[in-house]
Amino acid sequence: MAIDIQQIGKRFRFYTSIKELEMPQLLEMTGSSEEVLSNILCGKNYMLDELVGIVKNFHDLNTQWLIYGEGSMFKPMDENGACKDNHKGCLKKDKAAYLKQMQNMLIELDAAEVAKGHHADVDALKAKLEEYKANHPQE
């Protein structure tokens, strides 16, 4: 399966939006340059080594999803709500204000995946957003 750096950029932007991470936080977390991070987020030319160096800082991010669009965005969680690699809290925050934005991003990501012939697990993410909306009305 070919690696599509534009799709990786879209998925990484989606992930950072859900985690509410802005460029200054990403720079601090990764120790990377703004140019490299910007290239990854925009799906421009970058080295795979640069991507690996950045992604290793996000313990809850499923790299199979990031690179190939397969599976869930987040690594599996255990019964205590911790990621299987013992990092607590895969999501930084759950905020109702972001639901609409996330739904729009899911639609965009889904359309891009379908256009590329990929079959991402976007429906599961949509279901989780709908479930959250149902359980947290008008927050």
Side-chain angles (χ1 to χ4, degrees):
M1 178 179 283
I3 295 175
D4 184 334
I5 64 171
Q6 290 179 335
Q7 291 299 94
I8 292 170
K10 287 180 182 182
R11 287 189 284 269
F12 193 59
R13 270 196 324 273
F14 184 74
Y15 170 81
T16 58
S17 292
I18 285 179
K19 299 284 285 191
E20 301 175 30
L21 297 171
E22 301 291 331
M23 185 60 78
Q25 295 159 308
L26 292 171
L27 291 170
E28 184 179 325
M29 290 174 70
T30 64
S32 183
S33 73
E34 187 168 352
E35 179 182 9
V36 169
L37 278 168
S38 180
N39 283 348
I40 291 171
L41 290 165
C42 294
K44 294 182 181 176
N45 261 350
Y46 55 87
M47 302 292 288
L48 192 55
D49 289 345
E50 294 170 327
L51 177 67
V52 170
I54 288 170
V55 169
K56 70 180 181 185
N57 295 289
F58 303 98
H59 304 288
D60 61 344
L61 178 59
N62 179 355
T63 54
Q64 188 75 12
W65 173 82
L66 179 67
I67 295 171
Y68 300 108
E70 297 173 354
S72 175
M73 178 188 326
F74 296 106
K75 290 180 180 174
M77 298 175 77
D78 66 18
E79 60 279 352
N80 297 321
C83 293
K84 294 268 181 163
D85 61 1
N86 295 323
H87 293 278
K88 291 279 185 186
C90 289
L91 284 174
K92 179 181 173 189
K93 294 180 186 176
D94 286 330
K95 295 175 83 176
Y98 285 96
L99 285 175
K100 185 65 177 169
Q101 178 187 2
M102 294 303 109
Q103 286 175 326
N104 290 338
M105 290 179 78
L106 278 171
I107 291 167
E108 177 186 337
L109 186 60
D110 190 32
E113 293 289 331
V114 169
K116 293 287 185 180
H118 300 165
H119 300 287
D121 194 12
V122 176
D123 290 335
L125 291 171
K126 287 179 183 176
K128 286 181 183 181
L129 284 170
E130 290 300 322
E131 179 183 336
Y132 180 83
K133 273 176 50 176
N135 294 331
H136 300 86
Q138 301 296 330
E139 280 189 15

